[in-house]
Amino acid sequence: MVTHDMRRILFTLTLAAISAMMAIAQVTFKIEAPRQTEVGQQIRVKYVANTTDVEDIHVGDFPGFEVVYGPSTSRSNSFTMVNGKTSRSSTMTFTYVLVATKEGTHKLPAGTIKVDGKSIKSNTASIEVLPASAQGNATARTHSRSKAADVVAHLPPTAQTSGQKTYI
């Protein structure tokens, strides 16, 4: 026969198990970005959530940068089994391609996602933008002439032959 104390213990264990499961399933959202770049260089900034149940995302402006592309969305699901123990993980990544336009240290904004009706905010990141190097200056000139340039090629002088087709 089940006593009152046994019921209390069973109830406490059930609550502890549910709390542990909820802690494991907590959604995280973080920003991934390089710490340093040069004026005119392209960088990738990723906002990564450990769930694919994102209903909405909002990211503010990127001061000191021009958005070339984004956000691009990708989803990943993983299922593993080790020694009979299974685990599942899911991620959703929002990627922006930016070009640094101004020297200095710039703070990238936190992103906000909505999951199950709740708002979750990411961290912020700072990027130090250095003056353009010789190679960076060529890239910056290409971007200032045409904002539609997605590919910039730096060919050695021997590859730049007049009248010949060049394939990238």
Side-chain angles (χ1 to χ4, degrees):
M1 182 163 191
V2 179
T3 67
H4 181 66
D5 288 334
M6 291 175 79
R7 284 185 188 171
R8 189 179 304 168
I9 291 171
L10 184 58
F11 179 74
T12 303
L13 288 174
T14 304
L15 281 178
I18 291 171
S19 296
M21 287 173 32
M22 289 176 70
I24 290 171
Q26 185 177 7
V27 175
T28 60
F29 186 44
K30 64 181 179 173
I31 187 173
E32 295 177 0
R35 293 176 191 230
Q36 211 175 53
T37 189
E38 295 179 359
V39 170
Q41 294 296 307
Q42 283 189 359
I43 61 167
R44 290 186 196 285
V45 175
K46 297 179 182 181
Y47 290 85
V48 182
N50 69 339
T51 180
T52 56
D53 299 329
V54 176
E55 299 163 13
D56 189 26
I57 181 169
H58 176 73
V59 177
D61 294 332
F62 295 96
F65 295 90
E66 176 186 343
V67 178
V68 177
Y69 180 76
S72 169
T73 306
S74 63
R75 300 169 195 262
S76 170
N77 290 301
S78 170
F79 180 83
T80 58
M81 182 182 283
V82 178
N83 296 330
K85 211 174 195 184
T86 60
S87 64
R88 178 184 169 262
S89 67
S90 301
T91 59
M92 193 163 182
T93 305
F94 303 91
T95 304
Y96 292 83
V97 177
L98 310 176
V99 173
T101 58
K102 187 177 175 186
E103 289 179 39
T105 301
H106 303 288
K107 186 175 179 181
L108 298 180
T112 304
I113 57 173
K114 217 170 236 189
V115 178
D116 295 329
K118 297 176 186 169
S119 291
I120 300 168
K121 199 170 189 176
S122 75
N123 57 320
T124 61
S126 291
I127 299 180
E128 182 183 8
V129 179
L130 304 172
S133 64
Q135 185 175 354
N137 282 331
T139 305
R141 282 192 302 272
T142 301
H143 280 288
S144 65
R145 278 187 301 225
S146 170
K147 294 196 180 249
D150 286 336
V151 177
V152 177
H154 298 281
L155 302 173
T158 57
Q160 297 175 9
T161 306
S162 178
Q164 230 180 5
K165 290 184 182 179
T166 303
Y167 296 96
I168 300 175

